[in-house]
C-alpha cells in the first residue's frame, strides 16, 4: 500500500550534493517528513549543522575518529545514537521505523547500505547508481523477495519512470537517455590531453559532487546510466540508446511500439526527481520557476561521439557482457569498470593521471578481467572481492604512469 504522511526518512549521503538537495525539499515540506537518520562520511561540520536543525535520533559517520570529531559539534542536550562505518550505515538503512531510505552515498561504498535497505523492504529512493552497476541482479532479486520498491532519483531514470507510468512495459520499443555531453562536448582531442580537474569539474548545466562531475566530462556517467537503466527496467542494452542534448531540458524519452516517444521536461534541478521519489505517488509543490520553452527558443540533439569519449563505449560493452550467459559473460565487467573508474577519477582529481588516462585505466581493467574472470553471475562476496582486486590493479597501473600504459 501507499505510505501515509508524515514519512520517516533515512538519508544516506546526507552531506553530499543530493543529500543537501533532499534536505531542501524536506525543509520546504516539514509536515510531510520526519528525519530518523542522517549519514555522512567525513564532513562532520555539515552533518552537525543538519543534525542540529532536524534532531534525528540516529546519526552515522565513517569511523571512530569522525564520530569523536562530531560529538562536540552537536547541540547541548541532544544525544543521538551514533552508528559507525559500513555496518552502521547498513543498520541505519534497515531501522524498523524507517519507511523511505534515500541512497545518496557516492561510489561502490553505497552498495551494502543500499542492499540492506532493499533487503529490509524499504521504499528506496536510489541516487547511488554505482550500487546497481556493481550488483543490479542481487539488488533486484532482494527487492523481489522483500517487496522493496526502488524509485530512481537519477534524473534520466526518474524521467523514464514518469514517462512510463501507466503504460504497458511490453509495448516499449526502446529507452533514450539524454546526455548533456559534458563540458568538453565541442573540444578536440588535443584539448582533452591537457584538461585540468578544475575545468572538468565545471559542468555546464548541473551542480553536482566531484566524482559524478568528472564522470559527466568523460561520459562514463552516461555509460553507468545505461547499465543502471538495464537493471531498473529489466532491458537488454540494445534497447537503451544515448542522445546528446546540450540544454539538459529533456531528461529522457521512452519510445513505444506505435512510434510514440514520451519525454519528461523540466529545469535541470535535482530537487524535482528527489521530491518525486520521497513523496511518490504524490507531487510536492517546489519553488522552481516555470520552464520557458519560448525563451529557450530551441532544443538541440546529436549522437554521442564515442571515439572522443571512449568511456561510454566501454560501459556499453560491459553492459552487453553482463547479459552474456556464455563462459566469458557475467557482471564482472561492470564491477571492474566501475572500480577502475573510481580509482582513476580520484587519481585525476589528485593530479596523478591525465584526463585521457581515465579511459585507458578502465579499458585495461576490463581487459585483464576478460583474461581471468571471475565469470558468470557473482554473489555479494565475490563482487566485493573483485571490486577490491580491480582497485588494487588500477592503483598498480597508476604507479607505472606516465610511461607504463600504451596509448
Ligand atoms: P557528493 O560527493 O556530493 O556526496 C557524497 C556523499 O557520500 C557525502 O554525503 C559523503 O559524505 C558520502 N560518502 C563519501 N564517501 C563515503 C563512504 N566511503 N562511505 C559512506 N559515505 C560516503 O556526491 P553526489 O553528487 O551527491 O552524488 C551521490 C550519488 O548520487 C552518486 O552515486 C551520484 O552518481 C548520484 N547522483 C548524483 C547527482 C547529482 O546531481 N549530484 C545526480 C544523479 C545521481
Ligand atoms: Mg543522471
Amino acid at each position: 500500500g501507499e505510505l501515509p504522511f508524515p514519512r520517516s526518512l533515512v538519508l544516506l549521503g546526507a552531506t553530499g550534493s543530493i543529500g543537501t538537495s533532499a534536505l531542501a525539499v524536506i525543509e520546504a515540506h516539514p509536515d510531510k517528513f520526519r528525519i530518523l537518520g542522517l549519514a555522512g562520511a567525513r564532513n562532520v561540520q555539515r552533518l552537525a549543522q543538519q543534525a542540529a536543525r532536524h534532531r534525528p535520533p540516529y546519526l552515522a559517520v565513517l569511523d571512530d575518529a569522525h564520530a569523536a570529531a562530531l560529538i562536540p559539534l552537536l547541540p547541548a542536550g541532544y544525544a543521538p545514537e551514533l552508528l559507525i562505518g559500513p555496518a552502521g550505515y547498513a543498520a541505519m538503512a534497515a531501522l524498523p521505523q524507517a519507511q523511505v531510505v534515500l541512497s545518496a552515498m557516492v561510489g561502490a561504498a553505497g552498495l551494502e547500505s543500499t542492499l540492506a535497505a532493499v533487503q529490509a523492504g524499504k521504499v528506496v529512493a536510489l541516487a547511488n547508481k554505482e550500487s546497481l552497476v556493481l550488483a543490479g541482479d542481487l539488488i533486484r532479486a532482494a527487492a523481489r523477495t522483500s517487496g522493496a520498491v526502488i524509485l530512481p532519483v537519477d534524473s534520466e531514470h526518474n524521467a523514464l519512470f514518469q514517462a512510463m507510468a501507466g503504460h504497458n512495459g511490453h509495448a516499449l520499443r526502446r529507452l533514450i537517455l539524454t546526455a548533456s555531453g559534458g563540458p568538453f562536448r565541442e573540444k578536440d582531442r588535443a584539448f582533452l590531453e591537457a584538461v585540468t580537474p578544475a575545468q572538468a569539474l565545471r559542468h555546464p548545466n548541473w551542480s553536482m559532487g566531484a566524482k559524478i562531475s568528472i564522470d559527466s566530462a568523460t561520459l562514463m556517467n552516461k555509460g553507468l546510466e545505461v547499465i543502471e537503466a538495464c537493471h531498473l527496467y529489466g532491458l537488454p542494452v540494445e534497447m537503451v540508446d544515448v542522445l546528446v542534448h546540450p540544454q539538459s531540458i529533456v531528461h529522457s524519452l521512452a519510445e513505444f511500439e506505435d512510434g510514440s516517444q514520451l519525454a519528461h521536461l523540466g529545469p535541470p534541478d535535482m530537487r524535482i526527481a528527489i521530491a518525486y521519489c520521497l513523496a511518490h505517488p504524490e507531487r510536492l509543490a517546489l519553488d522552481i520557476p516555470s520552464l520557458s520553452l519560448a525563451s529557450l527558443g530551441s532544443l538541440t540533439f546529436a549522437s554521442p561521439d564515442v571515439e572522443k569519449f571512449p568511456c561510454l563505449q566501454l560501459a556499453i560493452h560491459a553492459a552487453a557482457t553482463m547479459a552474456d550467459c556464455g563462459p566469458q559473460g557475467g557482471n564482472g565487467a561492470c564491477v571492474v569498470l566501475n572500480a577502475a573508474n573510481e580509482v582513476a577519477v580520484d587519481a585525476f582529481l589528485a593530479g596523478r593521471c591525465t584526463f585521457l588516462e581515465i579511459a585507458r585505466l578502465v579499458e585495461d581493467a576490463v581487459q585483464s578481467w576478460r583474461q581471468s574472470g571471475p565469470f558468470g553471475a557473482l554473489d555479494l562476496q565475490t563482487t566485493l572481492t573483485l571490486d577490491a582486486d580491480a582497485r588494487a590493479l588500477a592503483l598498480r597501473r597508476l604507479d607505472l604512469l606516465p610511461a607504463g600504459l600504451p596509448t
Side-chain angles (χ1 to χ4, degrees):
E2 196 171 301
L3 287 177
F5 292 98
R7 295 178 176 179
S8 172
L9 307 182
V10 163
L11 307 186
L12 305 171
T15 54
S17 166
I18 291 288
T20 307
S21 294
L23 282 164
V25 169
I26 293 159
E27 286 166 17
H29 294 274
D31 51 321
K32 298 267 192 211
F33 305 106
R34 297 283 174 269
I35 298 188
L36 176 68
L38 294 173
R42 299 176 185 86
N43 190 343
V44 292
Q45 250 81 24
R46 185 172 296 171
L47 187 62
Q49 287 162 6
Q50 296 175 342
R53 282 206 305 281
H54 295 278
R55 307 285 174 118
Y58 296 89
L59 295 177
V61 289
L62 191 59
D63 51 30
D64 290 324
H66 288 92
L70 176 68
I71 291 166
L73 304 175
L74 297 175
Y78 163 59
E81 187 159 336
L82 274 187
L83 302 170
I84 314 253
Y89 297 140
M92 183 184 272
L95 282 170
Q97 315 91 293
Q99 293 173 304
V100 182
V101 176
L102 175 72
S103 165
M105 292 175 174
V106 62
L111 172 59
E112 287 175 270
S113 52
T114 300
L115 200 54
V118 170
Q119 284 166 340
K122 307 302 185 190
V123 171
V124 181
L126 185 66
N128 179 253
K129 65 191 84 183
E130 294 92 345
S131 58
L132 279 179
V133 170
L134 251 78
D137 288 331
L138 296 178
I139 290 173
R140 285 167 68 200
R144 275 194 298 274
T145 306
S146 71
V149 174
I150 298 173
L151 300 173
V153 171
D154 211 350
S155 56
E156 296 76 5
H157 308 74
N158 189 268
L160 293 169
F161 190 79
Q162 296 199 38
M164 286 191 282
H167 293 274
N168 184 345
H170 297 296
L172 195 69
R173 187 184 279 165
R174 62 177 177 141
L175 301 179
I176 305 168
L177 295 179
T178 51
S180 70
F184 308 136
R185 184 174 51 88
E186 296 186 295
K187 303 297 185 190
D188 61 16
R189 207 178 152 86
F191 184 93
L192 294 185
E193 287 282 359
V195 155
T196 65
Q199 289 171 316
L201 285 169
R202 224 173 288 129
H203 194 277
N205 306 333
W206 299 93
S207 149
M208 309 180 287
K211 194 259 175 180
I212 186 175
S213 297
I214 303 305
D215 285 348
S216 301
T218 60
L219 292 203
M220 180 59 92
N221 182 52
K222 209 51 52 181
L224 299 178
E225 290 184 355
V226 168
I227 301 170
E228 180 185 15
C230 293
H231 285 299
L232 283 171
Y233 299 108
L235 297 174
V237 68
E238 295 74 30
M239 285 177 71
V240 183
D241 287 339
V242 173
L243 177 67
V244 172
H245 166 46
Q247 296 83 18
S248 299
I249 297 298
V250 178
H251 297 304
S252 282
L253 309 94
E255 181 176 320
F256 294 89
E257 284 185 336
D258 62 1
S260 301
Q261 291 188 354
L262 300 191
H264 169 266
L265 283 71
D269 188 321
M270 287 307 294
R271 287 178 298 161
I272 298 175
I274 293 167
Y276 188 86
C277 293
L278 296 184
H280 185 267
E282 275 197 22
R283 278 183 194 270
L284 299 178
L286 295 176
D287 161 29
I288 288 177
S290 290
L291 176 65
S292 168
L293 291 173
S295 20
L296 281 165
S298 63
L299 300 176
T300 59
F301 302 93
S303 294
D305 184 342
V306 290
E307 305 276 301
K308 202 161 78 179
F309 299 105
C311 284
L312 175 59
Q313 201 68 341
L314 289 169
I316 290 170
H317 285 153
T321 308
M322 173 175 72
D324 172 4
C325 299
Q328 303 288 293
N331 61 313
C334 294
V335 175
V336 302
L337 172 104
N338 180 71
N341 182 59
E342 287 189 26
V343 170
V345 168
D346 278 349
F348 171 67
L349 287 170
R352 292 191 60 212
C353 76
T354 68
F355 185 76
L356 292 176
E357 278 160 352
I358 297 173
R360 276 180 233 138
L361 283 162
V362 172
E363 183 166 18
D364 184 68
V366 178
Q367 275 306 331
S368 100
W369 171 81
R370 280 188 206 288
Q371 276 145 35
S372 56
F375 302 111
L378 308 179
D379 63 21
L380 181 63
Q381 197 46 59
T382 315
T383 299
L384 295 176
T385 304
L386 179 58
D387 172 75
D389 290 348
R391 281 167 203 270
L393 176 70
L395 284 169
R396 288 199 298 278
R397 299 283 161 171
L398 265 172
D399 284 339
L400 300 176
L401 292 178
L405 280 177
T407 45

